Amino acid sequence: MAYGQTGTGKTYTVGKLGKDDAAERGIMVRALEDVLASTMPGSDVVEVSYLHLYMESIQDLLAPEKASIPINEDARTGEVSLPDVSVVKVQDLNHFSDLLQIGETNRHAANTKQNTESSRSHAILMVHVRRSINQKAGDETASQEKDVKSNLAGGNGLPRVRKSKLLVVDLAGSERLDKSGSEGHLLEEAKFINLSLTSLGKCINAQAENSPHIPTRDSKLTRLLRDSFGVSTAGKYSSRVGDARHRK
Ligand SMILES: Nc1ncnc2c1ncn2[C@@H]1O[C@H](COP(=O)(O)OP(=O)(O)OP(=O)(O)O)[C@@H](O)[C@H]1O
C-alpha cells in the first residue's frame, strides 16, 4: 500500500509503466514481472482486476461503465470477491502494461471530471494466481505443509488448485482538513478519504497489537482488504496473506 500526503509521489511509485526504460517501472509492473517470471504457462493462470474506490463507491477501472459495484463475502470462508468486476487473464508483461494504462487513463478521467489532477480515489490492483497441482507435486507439497494436509483433496480425482491473491493499493492522498481549506464537494471527498484511511489505520493497529478483533467493517476499503487482514467470518484471524491455501 502506498500511503502519504497528496503530491508525495504515491501514484508515480506504484503505477509508473516505464515502457521505454525498465528502471522507471513502478511497483505494479515490477510485481507482475516477478509473478509472471515464476509462473508456468501450462499449469498457472494469472488474472488481474483493477478498480478504484471513490466516496465509498467502487468503479471498475478496466470497464468504467461498471460502477457502484457491491462487495461479496463468502459466509463460509470469509473470502472477499467482487463478482461484477472485470477479471482479465494476463498474457505477458506488455499486455499487463496496456491494461494498467487503460486503468490509469480511466482513473485520470474520473479525477478530471472531479476537477482535480490529484487522486481522490483509492486504486486497487488485484492479482489472482491459480496453479493446478498434479498428484506428484501435491504429494510433495503435502509433506512440506502438514498443517494444511487435511484440506487437500483426497483421492477423488478432482484437480487441485492453489490460489494466491496479491493486492497493490495506491491510496488517495491524506490531508489535514483544517490546513487544506477544502469546502463543499472537495470537503465531502476529503471526509470520505479520511474516514477510510482512519479505519485502515485502526485495522493495522489492531493487527499489530494481535487484537482478537480487526474492525474491517467500518469502511469499504477495509472490507475489500478483509481477507488480507486474515479475518475469518468469525472476525478472528484465519490464514494470513502469503500462506498457502488449498481448495478442491
Ligand atoms: N520520484 C519522482 N521523480 C520525478 N517526479 C516525481 C517523482 N515522484 C513524483 N513525481 C511527480 O510528482 C507529481 C506528484 O506525484 P504523484 O501524482 O505520484 O503523487 P501522489 O502522492 O500520488 O498524489 P495524490 O495523492 O494527489 O494523487 C507528479 O507530477 C509526478 O510525476
Side-chain angles (χ1 to χ4, degrees):
M1 271 185 286
Y3 166 79
Q5 282 190 349
T6 296
T8 48
K10 298 180 293 298
T11 305
Y12 185 95
T13 307
V14 172
K16 199 142 193 274
L17 298 175
K19 277 193 167 173
D20 300 327
D21 180 359
E24 290 284 306
R25 287 175 182 164
I27 288 169
M28 286 175 175
V29 178
R30 285 169 192 256
L32 251 291
E33 195 176 13
D34 275 5
V35 168
L36 291 172
S38 51
T39 50
M40 292 170 281
S43 63
D44 302 337
V45 177
V46 180
E47 294 169 327
V48 294
S49 300
Y50 194 29
L51 49 110
H52 75 159
L53 179 60
Y54 175 71
M55 291 180 82
E56 292 296 272
S57 176
I58 298 169
Q59 184 183 20
D60 192 336
L61 284 174
L62 300 179
E65 67 283 1
K66 295 184 189 171
S68 302
I69 293 169
I71 303 172
N72 260 18
E73 284 165 35
D74 187 305
R76 193 173 57 86
T77 62
E79 195 174 346
V80 176
S81 63
L82 297 152
D84 297 342
V85 162
S86 316
V87 179
V88 183
K89 188 172 166 184
V90 178
Q91 288 142 18
D92 53 33
L93 199 60
N94 281 338
H95 179 216
F96 173 69
S97 286
D98 292 344
L99 292 172
L100 205 54
Q101 192 156 28
I102 293 169
E104 287 308 322
T105 306
N106 288 330
R107 190 181 185 203
H108 185 73
N111 284 331
T112 310
K113 211 167 145 192
Q114 305 308 327
N115 233 346
T116 168
E117 276 297 303
S118 104
S119 316
R120 310 314 291 147
S121 65
H122 308 298
I124 300 161
L125 174 75
M126 294 184 167
V127 184
H128 300 273
V129 183
R130 282 185 284 123
R131 169 167 293 180
S132 304
I133 307 170
N134 63 30
Q135 193 58 49
K136 191 160 174 280
D139 289 346
E140 282 164 15
T141 308
S143 66
Q144 285 163 7
E145 299 166 8
K146 287 184 182 144
D147 55 331
V148 292
K149 196 174 178 184
S150 57
N151 292 328
L152 294 174
N156 56 8
L158 288 174
R160 290 197 301 242
V161 176
R162 174 181 291 167
K163 296 200 292 183
S164 315
K165 180 158 89 172
L166 170 72
L167 297 187
V168 184
V169 185
D170 177 17
L171 293 165
S174 61
E175 51 183 290
R176 292 272 304 273
L177 290 181
D178 50 348
K179 288 200 174 161
S180 67
S182 299
E183 294 178 342
H185 186 70
L186 289 181
L187 179 63
E188 284 308 300
E189 269 181 357
K191 280 184 186 168
F192 274 105
I193 292 170
N194 286 356
L195 165 88
S196 52
L197 293 178
T198 303
S199 71
L200 178 63
K202 282 185 190 165
C203 290
I204 292 171
N205 281 342
Q207 194 172 41
E209 288 163 6
N210 283 328
S211 165
H213 175 68
I214 311 286
T216 53
R217 298 213 168 269
D218 293 354
S219 74
K220 280 207 177 145
L221 177 66
T222 48
R223 283 182 62 206
L224 269 174
L225 300 176
R226 178 182 160 87
D227 51 7
S228 299
F229 282 109
V231 178
S232 72
T233 44
K236 299 197 172 164
Y237 292 122
S238 59
S239 323
R240 304 277 180 121
V241 161
D243 287 358
R245 291 183 182 193
H246 293 78
R247 304 258 188 273
K248 285 183 187 178

PDB file of all heavy atoms in Angstrom, residues 41-73:
ATOM      1  N   PRO A  41       3.284 -21.432 -17.894  1.00  0.00           N
ATOM      2  CA  PRO A  41       2.139 -21.227 -18.781  1.00  0.00           C
ATOM      3  C   PRO A  41       1.148 -22.388 -18.768  1.00  0.00           C
ATOM      4  O   PRO A  41      -0.060 -22.191 -18.807  1.00  0.00           O
ATOM      5  CB  PRO A  41       2.779 -21.059 -20.163  1.00  0.00           C
ATOM      6  CG  PRO A  41       4.198 -20.712 -19.909  1.00  0.00           C
ATOM      7  CD  PRO A  41       4.570 -21.298 -18.584  1.00  0.00           C
ATOM      8  N   GLY A  42       1.604 -23.627 -18.670  1.00  0.00           N
ATOM      9  CA  GLY A  42       0.697 -24.774 -18.733  1.00  0.00           C
ATOM     10  C   GLY A  42      -0.212 -24.914 -17.515  1.00  0.00           C
ATOM     11  O   GLY A  42      -1.393 -25.213 -17.639  1.00  0.00           O
ATOM     12  N   SER A  43       0.338 -24.684 -16.335  1.00  0.00           N
ATOM     13  CA  SER A  43      -0.429 -25.013 -15.123  1.00  0.00           C
ATOM     14  C   SER A  43      -0.902 -23.790 -14.342  1.00  0.00           C
ATOM     15  O   SER A  43      -1.695 -23.921 -13.421  1.00  0.00           O
ATOM     16  CB  SER A  43       0.427 -25.886 -14.204  1.00  0.00           C
ATOM     17  OG  SER A  43       1.569 -25.154 -13.804  1.00  0.00           O
ATOM     18  N   ASP A  44      -0.404 -22.611 -14.703  1.00  0.00           N
ATOM     19  CA  ASP A  44      -0.750 -21.423 -13.914  1.00  0.00           C
ATOM     20  C   ASP A  44      -1.576 -20.424 -14.726  1.00  0.00           C
ATOM     21  O   ASP A  44      -1.372 -20.273 -15.925  1.00  0.00           O
ATOM     22  CB  ASP A  44       0.517 -20.683 -13.451  1.00  0.00           C
ATOM     23  CG  ASP A  44       1.428 -21.586 -12.632  1.00  0.00           C
ATOM     24  OD1 ASP A  44       0.923 -22.568 -12.066  1.00  0.00           O
ATOM     25  OD2 ASP A  44       2.629 -21.299 -12.567  1.00  0.00           O
ATOM     26  N   VAL A  45      -2.490 -19.752 -14.037  1.00  0.00           N
ATOM     27  CA  VAL A  45      -3.269 -18.695 -14.675  1.00  0.00           C
ATOM     28  C   VAL A  45      -3.098 -17.432 -13.830  1.00  0.00           C
ATOM     29  O   VAL A  45      -3.262 -17.467 -12.612  1.00  0.00           O
ATOM     30  CB  VAL A  45      -4.769 -19.070 -14.735  1.00  0.00           C
ATOM     31  CG1 VAL A  45      -5.583 -17.935 -15.335  1.00  0.00           C
ATOM     32  CG2 VAL A  45      -4.975 -20.342 -15.539  1.00  0.00           C
ATOM     33  N   VAL A  46      -2.730 -16.338 -14.502  1.00  0.00           N
ATOM     34  CA  VAL A  46      -2.596 -15.050 -13.800  1.00  0.00           C
ATOM     35  C   VAL A  46      -3.689 -14.123 -14.328  1.00  0.00           C
ATOM     36  O   VAL A  46      -3.793 -13.892 -15.533  1.00  0.00           O
ATOM     37  CB  VAL A  46      -1.205 -14.418 -14.050  1.00  0.00           C
ATOM     38  CG1 VAL A  46      -1.076 -13.088 -13.315  1.00  0.00           C
ATOM     39  CG2 VAL A  46      -0.094 -15.362 -13.620  1.00  0.00           C
ATOM     40  N   GLU A  47      -4.511 -13.627 -13.401  1.00  0.00           N
ATOM     41  CA  GLU A  47      -5.610 -12.740 -13.794  1.00  0.00           C
ATOM     42  C   GLU A  47      -5.542 -11.470 -12.957  1.00  0.00           C
ATOM     43  O   GLU A  47      -5.111 -11.514 -11.795  1.00  0.00           O
ATOM     44  CB  GLU A  47      -6.957 -13.424 -13.541  1.00  0.00           C
ATOM     45  CG  GLU A  47      -7.186 -14.628 -14.419  1.00  0.00           C
ATOM     46  CD  GLU A  47      -8.397 -15.446 -13.967  1.00  0.00           C
ATOM     47  OE1 GLU A  47      -8.661 -15.509 -12.750  1.00  0.00           O
ATOM     48  OE2 GLU A  47      -9.064 -16.030 -14.823  1.00  0.00           O
ATOM     49  N   VAL A  48      -5.981 -10.370 -13.555  1.00  0.00           N
ATOM     50  CA  VAL A  48      -5.988  -9.115 -12.785  1.00  0.00           C
ATOM     51  C   VAL A  48      -7.345  -8.420 -12.889  1.00  0.00           C
ATOM     52  O   VAL A  48      -8.071  -8.561 -13.872  1.00  0.00           O
ATOM     53  CB  VAL A  48      -4.897  -8.117 -13.256  1.00  0.00           C
ATOM     54  CG1 VAL A  48      -3.508  -8.646 -12.990  1.00  0.00           C
ATOM     55  CG2 VAL A  48      -5.056  -7.738 -14.712  1.00  0.00           C
ATOM     56  N   SER A  49      -7.639  -7.671 -11.826  1.00  0.00           N
ATOM     57  CA  SER A  49      -8.749  -6.723 -11.819  1.00  0.00           C
ATOM     58  C   SER A  49      -8.141  -5.407 -11.349  1.00  0.00           C
ATOM     59  O   SER A  49      -7.187  -5.407 -10.562  1.00  0.00           O
ATOM     60  CB  SER A  49      -9.837  -7.135 -10.828  1.00  0.00           C
ATOM     61  OG  SER A  49     -10.352  -8.389 -11.162  1.00  0.00           O
ATOM     62  N   TYR A  50      -8.707  -4.323 -11.851  1.00  0.00           N
ATOM     63  CA  TYR A  50      -8.186  -3.014 -11.434  1.00  0.00           C
ATOM     64  C   TYR A  50      -9.391  -2.110 -11.192  1.00  0.00           C
ATOM     65  O   TYR A  50     -10.228  -1.931 -12.081  1.00  0.00           O
ATOM     66  CB  TYR A  50      -7.282  -2.465 -12.540  1.00  0.00           C
ATOM     67  CG  TYR A  50      -6.402  -1.297 -12.132  1.00  0.00           C
ATOM     68  CD1 TYR A  50      -5.968  -1.140 -10.819  1.00  0.00           C
ATOM     69  CD2 TYR A  50      -5.980  -0.354 -13.070  1.00  0.00           C
ATOM     70  CE1 TYR A  50      -5.154  -0.086 -10.450  1.00  0.00           C
ATOM     71  CE2 TYR A  50      -5.162   0.705 -12.709  1.00  0.00           C
ATOM     72  CZ  TYR A  50      -4.755   0.826 -11.398  1.00  0.00           C
ATOM     73  OH  TYR A  50      -3.949   1.880 -11.026  1.00  0.00           O
ATOM     74  N   LEU A  51      -9.494  -1.612  -9.994  1.00  0.00           N
ATOM     75  CA  LEU A  51     -10.684  -0.835  -9.637  1.00  0.00           C
ATOM     76  C   LEU A  51     -10.289   0.342  -8.762  1.00  0.00           C
ATOM     77  O   LEU A  51      -9.160   0.421  -8.281  1.00  0.00           O
ATOM     78  CB  LEU A  51     -11.664  -1.741  -8.878  1.00  0.00           C
ATOM     79  CG  LEU A  51     -11.060  -2.551  -7.742  1.00  0.00           C
ATOM     80  CD1 LEU A  51     -11.527  -2.058  -6.405  1.00  0.00           C
ATOM     81  CD2 LEU A  51     -11.420  -4.006  -7.925  1.00  0.00           C
ATOM     82  N   HIS A  52     -11.224   1.251  -8.597  1.00  0.00           N
ATOM     83  CA  HIS A  52     -10.956   2.297  -7.619  1.00  0.00           C
ATOM     84  C   HIS A  52     -12.184   2.583  -6.774  1.00  0.00           C
ATOM     85  O   HIS A  52     -13.314   2.240  -7.141  1.00  0.00           O
ATOM     86  CB  HIS A  52     -10.321   3.546  -8.252  1.00  0.00           C
ATOM     87  CG  HIS A  52     -11.225   4.422  -9.044  1.00  0.00           C
ATOM     88  ND1 HIS A  52     -10.924   5.745  -9.311  1.00  0.00           N
ATOM     89  CD2 HIS A  52     -12.409   4.189  -9.641  1.00  0.00           C
ATOM     90  CE1 HIS A  52     -11.894   6.261 -10.031  1.00  0.00           C
ATOM     91  NE2 HIS A  52     -12.800   5.357 -10.251  1.00  0.00           N
ATOM     92  N   LEU A  53     -11.897   3.141  -5.621  1.00  0.00           N
ATOM     93  CA  LEU A  53     -12.927   3.386  -4.625  1.00  0.00           C
ATOM     94  C   LEU A  53     -13.002   4.889  -4.424  1.00  0.00           C
ATOM     95  O   LEU A  53     -12.058   5.511  -3.936  1.00  0.00           O
ATOM     96  CB  LEU A  53     -12.495   2.673  -3.335  1.00  0.00           C
ATOM     97  CG  LEU A  53     -13.365   2.775  -2.101  1.00  0.00           C
ATOM     98  CD1 LEU A  53     -14.746   2.209  -2.371  1.00  0.00           C
ATOM     99  CD2 LEU A  53     -12.715   1.996  -0.955  1.00  0.00           C
ATOM    100  N   TYR A  54     -14.122   5.455  -4.872  1.00  0.00           N
ATOM    101  CA  TYR A  54     -14.287   6.909  -4.775  1.00  0.00           C
ATOM    102  C   TYR A  54     -15.535   7.200  -3.957  1.00  0.00           C
ATOM    103  O   TYR A  54     -16.635   6.747  -4.311  1.00  0.00           O
ATOM    104  CB  TYR A  54     -14.414   7.514  -6.177  1.00  0.00           C
ATOM    105  CG  TYR A  54     -14.716   8.991  -6.172  1.00  0.00           C
ATOM    106  CD1 TYR A  54     -13.752   9.922  -5.776  1.00  0.00           C
ATOM    107  CD2 TYR A  54     -15.968   9.461  -6.554  1.00  0.00           C
ATOM    108  CE1 TYR A  54     -14.044  11.268  -5.754  1.00  0.00           C
ATOM    109  CE2 TYR A  54     -16.259  10.808  -6.533  1.00  0.00           C
ATOM    110  CZ  TYR A  54     -15.288  11.713  -6.135  1.00  0.00           C
ATOM    111  OH  TYR A  54     -15.582  13.049  -6.102  1.00  0.00           O
ATOM    112  N   MET A  55     -15.396   7.898  -2.882  1.00  0.00           N
ATOM    113  CA  MET A  55     -16.514   8.234  -1.987  1.00  0.00           C
ATOM    114  C   MET A  55     -17.359   6.988  -1.672  1.00  0.00           C
ATOM    115  O   MET A  55     -18.573   6.994  -1.853  1.00  0.00           O
ATOM    116  CB  MET A  55     -17.355   9.368  -2.576  1.00  0.00           C
ATOM    117  CG  MET A  55     -16.593  10.685  -2.584  1.00  0.00           C
ATOM    118  SD  MET A  55     -17.528  12.074  -3.256  1.00  0.00           S
ATOM    119  CE  MET A  55     -18.517  12.573  -1.865  1.00  0.00           C
ATOM    120  N   GLU A  56     -16.685   5.942  -1.237  1.00  0.00           N
ATOM    121  CA  GLU A  56     -17.320   4.674  -0.831  1.00  0.00           C
ATOM    122  C   GLU A  56     -18.082   3.978  -1.965  1.00  0.00           C
ATOM    123  O   GLU A  56     -18.976   3.171  -1.720  1.00  0.00           O
ATOM    124  CB  GLU A  56     -18.254   4.878   0.378  1.00  0.00           C
ATOM    125  CG  GLU A  56     -17.530   5.225   1.671  1.00  0.00           C
ATOM    126  CD  GLU A  56     -16.603   4.102   2.155  1.00  0.00           C
ATOM    127  OE1 GLU A  56     -17.052   3.209   2.889  1.00  0.00           O
ATOM    128  OE2 GLU A  56     -15.412   4.157   1.778  1.00  0.00           O
ATOM    129  N   SER A  57     -17.727   4.305  -3.216  1.00  0.00           N
ATOM    130  CA  SER A  57     -18.345   3.616  -4.346  1.00  0.00           C
ATOM    131  C   SER A  57     -17.224   2.996  -5.203  1.00  0.00           C
ATOM    132  O   SER A  57     -16.231   3.658  -5.509  1.00  0.00           O
ATOM    133  CB  SER A  57     -19.151   4.635  -5.152  1.00  0.00           C
ATOM    134  OG  SER A  57     -19.665   4.018  -6.290  1.00  0.00           O
ATOM    135  N   ILE A  58     -17.419   1.721  -5.561  1.00  0.00           N
ATOM    136  CA  ILE A  58     -16.371   1.009  -6.309  1.00  0.00           C
ATOM    137  C   ILE A  58     -16.672   1.066  -7.804  1.00  0.00           C
ATOM    138  O   ILE A  58     -17.787   0.778  -8.230  1.00  0.00           O
ATOM    139  CB  ILE A  58     -16.296  -0.467  -5.858  1.00  0.00           C
ATOM    140  CG1 ILE A  58     -15.926  -0.531  -4.372  1.00  0.00           C
ATOM    141  CG2 ILE A  58     -15.283  -1.249  -6.689  1.00  0.00           C
ATOM    142  CD1 ILE A  58     -16.073  -1.911  -3.768  1.00  0.00           C
ATOM    143  N   GLN A  59     -15.651   1.445  -8.584  1.00  0.00           N
ATOM    144  CA  GLN A  59     -15.792   1.502 -10.039  1.00  0.00           C
ATOM    145  C   GLN A  59     -14.692   0.657 -10.672  1.00  0.00           C
ATOM    146  O   GLN A  59     -13.544   0.661 -10.210  1.00  0.00           O
ATOM    147  CB  GLN A  59     -15.685   2.958 -10.509  1.00  0.00           C
ATOM    148  CG  GLN A  59     -15.919   3.128 -11.997  1.00  0.00           C
ATOM    149  CD  GLN A  59     -15.746   4.576 -12.455  1.00  0.00           C
ATOM    150  OE1 GLN A  59     -15.110   5.380 -11.771  1.00  0.00           O
ATOM    151  NE2 GLN A  59     -16.304   4.893 -13.602  1.00  0.00           N
ATOM    152  N   ASP A  60     -15.059  -0.049 -11.737  1.00  0.00           N
ATOM    153  CA  ASP A  60     -14.102  -0.884 -12.463  1.00  0.00           C
ATOM    154  C   ASP A  60     -13.249   0.020 -13.354  1.00  0.00           C
ATOM    155  O   ASP A  60     -13.791   0.708 -14.223  1.00  0.00           O
ATOM    156  CB  ASP A  60     -14.906  -1.887 -13.310  1.00  0.00           C
ATOM    157  CG  ASP A  60     -14.042  -2.987 -13.890  1.00  0.00           C
ATOM    158  OD1 ASP A  60     -12.831  -2.773 -14.051  1.00  0.00           O
ATOM    159  OD2 ASP A  60     -14.591  -4.055 -14.183  1.00  0.00           O
ATOM    160  N   LEU A  61     -11.937   0.011 -13.175  1.00  0.00           N
ATOM    161  CA  LEU A  61     -11.086   0.885 -13.998  1.00  0.00           C
ATOM    162  C   LEU A  61     -10.831   0.280 -15.382  1.00  0.00           C
ATOM    163  O   LEU A  61     -10.367   0.975 -16.280  1.00  0.00           O
ATOM    164  CB  LEU A  61      -9.760   1.158 -13.291  1.00  0.00           C
ATOM    165  CG  LEU A  61      -9.828   2.157 -12.132  1.00  0.00           C
ATOM    166  CD1 LEU A  61      -8.493   2.238 -11.404  1.00  0.00           C
ATOM    167  CD2 LEU A  61     -10.244   3.545 -12.609  1.00  0.00           C
ATOM    168  N   LEU A  62     -11.136  -1.014 -15.558  1.00  0.00           N
ATOM    169  CA  LEU A  62     -10.967  -1.634 -16.876  1.00  0.00           C
ATOM    170  C   LEU A  62     -12.271  -1.619 -17.665  1.00  0.00           C
ATOM    171  O   LEU A  62     -12.285  -1.917 -18.856  1.00  0.00           O
ATOM    172  CB  LEU A  62     -10.444  -3.073 -16.725  1.00  0.00           C
ATOM    173  CG  LEU A  62      -9.086  -3.191 -16.021  1.00  0.00           C
ATOM    174  CD1 LEU A  62      -8.680  -4.642 -15.895  1.00  0.00           C
ATOM    175  CD2 LEU A  62      -8.006  -2.394 -16.754  1.00  0.00           C
ATOM    176  N   ALA A  63     -13.366  -1.287 -16.991  1.00  0.00           N
ATOM    177  CA  ALA A  63     -14.682  -1.167 -17.649  1.00  0.00           C
ATOM    178  C   ALA A  63     -15.472  -0.122 -16.851  1.00  0.00           C
ATOM    179  O   ALA A  63     -16.307  -0.476 -16.022  1.00  0.00           O
ATOM    180  CB  ALA A  63     -15.399  -2.510 -17.650  1.00  0.00           C
ATOM    181  N   PRO A  64     -15.159   1.169 -17.079  1.00  0.00           N
ATOM    182  CA  PRO A  64     -15.674   2.221 -16.190  1.00  0.00           C
ATOM    183  C   PRO A  64     -17.194   2.361 -16.153  1.00  0.00           C
ATOM    184  O   PRO A  64     -17.727   2.992 -15.246  1.00  0.00           O
ATOM    185  CB  PRO A  64     -15.025   3.502 -16.726  1.00  0.00           C
ATOM    186  CG  PRO A  64     -14.423   3.152 -18.028  1.00  0.00           C
ATOM    187  CD  PRO A  64     -14.266   1.673 -18.102  1.00  0.00           C
ATOM    188  N   GLU A  65     -17.870   1.705 -17.135  1.00  0.00           N
ATOM    189  CA  GLU A  65     -19.338   1.748 -17.076  1.00  0.00           C
ATOM    190  C   GLU A  65     -19.863   0.945 -15.882  1.00  0.00           C
ATOM    191  O   GLU A  65     -21.001   1.117 -15.453  1.00  0.00           O
ATOM    192  CB  GLU A  65     -19.965   1.253 -18.393  1.00  0.00           C
ATOM    193  CG  GLU A  65     -19.786  -0.222 -18.741  1.00  0.00           C
ATOM    194  CD  GLU A  65     -18.379  -0.546 -19.292  1.00  0.00           C
ATOM    195  OE1 GLU A  65     -17.533   0.362 -19.378  1.00  0.00           O
ATOM    196  OE2 GLU A  65     -18.140  -1.735 -19.625  1.00  0.00           O
ATOM    197  N   LYS A  66     -19.005   0.067 -15.345  1.00  0.00           N
ATOM    198  CA  LYS A  66     -19.415  -0.697 -14.161  1.00  0.00           C
ATOM    199  C   LYS A  66     -19.060   0.112 -12.913  1.00  0.00           C
ATOM    200  O   LYS A  66     -17.876   0.254 -12.574  1.00  0.00           O
ATOM    201  CB  LYS A  66     -18.680  -2.038 -14.110  1.00  0.00           C
ATOM    202  CG  LYS A  66     -19.016  -2.976 -15.243  1.00  0.00           C
ATOM    203  CD  LYS A  66     -18.308  -4.300 -15.017  1.00  0.00           C
ATOM    204  CE  LYS A  66     -18.408  -5.208 -16.209  1.00  0.00           C
ATOM    205  NZ  LYS A  66     -17.571  -6.392 -16.080  1.00  0.00           N
ATOM    206  N   ALA A  67     -20.095   0.658 -12.298  1.00  0.00           N
ATOM    207  CA  ALA A  67     -19.878   1.486 -11.098  1.00  0.00           C
ATOM    208  C   ALA A  67     -20.780   0.986  -9.971  1.00  0.00           C
ATOM    209  O   ALA A  67     -21.640   0.131 -10.196  1.00  0.00           O
ATOM    210  CB  ALA A  67     -20.167   2.938 -11.426  1.00  0.00           C
ATOM    211  N   SER A  68     -20.569   1.501  -8.789  1.00  0.00           N
ATOM    212  CA  SER A  68     -21.332   1.090  -7.587  1.00  0.00           C
ATOM    213  C   SER A  68     -21.344  -0.433  -7.442  1.00  0.00           C
ATOM    214  O   SER A  68     -22.390  -1.058  -7.252  1.00  0.00           O
ATOM    215  CB  SER A  68     -22.770   1.593  -7.647  1.00  0.00           C
ATOM    216  OG  SER A  68     -22.798   2.975  -7.776  1.00  0.00           O
ATOM    217  N   ILE A  69     -20.170  -1.006  -7.564  1.00  0.00           N
ATOM    218  CA  ILE A  69     -20.041  -2.468  -7.535  1.00  0.00           C
ATOM    219  C   ILE A  69     -20.099  -2.973  -6.082  1.00  0.00           C
ATOM    220  O   ILE A  69     -19.390  -2.455  -5.216  1.00  0.00           O
ATOM    221  CB  ILE A  69     -18.699  -2.875  -8.193  1.00  0.00           C
ATOM    222  CG1 ILE A  69     -18.764  -2.526  -9.685  1.00  0.00           C
ATOM    223  CG2 ILE A  69     -18.371  -4.337  -7.966  1.00  0.00           C
ATOM    224  CD1 ILE A  69     -17.447  -2.623 -10.395  1.00  0.00           C
ATOM    225  N   PRO A  70     -20.947  -3.976  -5.825  1.00  0.00           N
ATOM    226  CA  PRO A  70     -21.029  -4.491  -4.446  1.00  0.00           C
ATOM    227  C   PRO A  70     -19.880  -5.444  -4.097  1.00  0.00           C
ATOM    228  O   PRO A  70     -19.287  -6.064  -4.981  1.00  0.00           O
ATOM    229  CB  PRO A  70     -22.369  -5.241  -4.441  1.00  0.00           C
ATOM    230  CG  PRO A  70     -22.611  -5.610  -5.867  1.00  0.00           C
ATOM    231  CD  PRO A  70     -21.902  -4.609  -6.733  1.00  0.00           C
ATOM    232  N   ILE A  71     -19.617  -5.558  -2.793  1.00  0.00           N
ATOM    233  CA  ILE A  71     -18.579  -6.481  -2.300  1.00  0.00           C
ATOM    234  C   ILE A  71     -19.278  -7.737  -1.775  1.00  0.00           C
ATOM    235  O   ILE A  71     -20.238  -7.632  -1.026  1.00  0.00           O
ATOM    236  CB  ILE A  71     -17.787  -5.857  -1.135  1.00  0.00           C
ATOM    237  CG1 ILE A  71     -17.155  -4.526  -1.556  1.00  0.00           C
ATOM    238  CG2 ILE A  71     -16.740  -6.811  -0.591  1.00  0.00           C
ATOM    239  CD1 ILE A  71     -16.515  -3.763  -0.406  1.00  0.00           C
ATOM    240  N   ASN A  72     -18.770  -8.908  -2.175  1.00  0.00           N
ATOM    241  CA  ASN A  72     -19.310 -10.176  -1.661  1.00  0.00           C
ATOM    242  C   ASN A  72     -18.348 -10.785  -0.655  1.00  0.00           C
ATOM    243  O   ASN A  72     -17.136 -10.776  -0.882  1.00  0.00           O
ATOM    244  CB  ASN A  72     -19.457 -11.179  -2.810  1.00  0.00           C
ATOM    245  CG  ASN A  72     -20.872 -11.242  -3.300  1.00  0.00           C
ATOM    246  OD1 ASN A  72     -21.665 -10.345  -3.038  1.00  0.00           O
ATOM    247  ND2 ASN A  72     -21.175 -12.308  -4.027  1.00  0.00           N
ATOM    248  N   GLU A  73     -18.903 -11.321   0.417  1.00  0.00           N
ATOM    249  CA  GLU A  73     -18.047 -12.038   1.362  1.00  0.00           C
ATOM    250  C   GLU A  73     -18.585 -13.451   1.500  1.00  0.00           C
ATOM    251  O   GLU A  73     -19.773 -13.629   1.770  1.00  0.00           O
ATOM    252  CB  GLU A  73     -18.059 -11.341   2.722  1.00  0.00           C
ATOM    253  CG  GLU A  73     -17.228 -10.081   2.736  1.00  0.00           C
ATOM    254  CD  GLU A  73     -17.537  -9.210   3.944  1.00  0.00           C
ATOM    255  OE1 GLU A  73     -17.809  -9.754   5.026  1.00  0.00           O
ATOM    256  OE2 GLU A  73     -17.527  -7.983   3.778  1.00  0.00           O
TER     257      GLU A  73
END
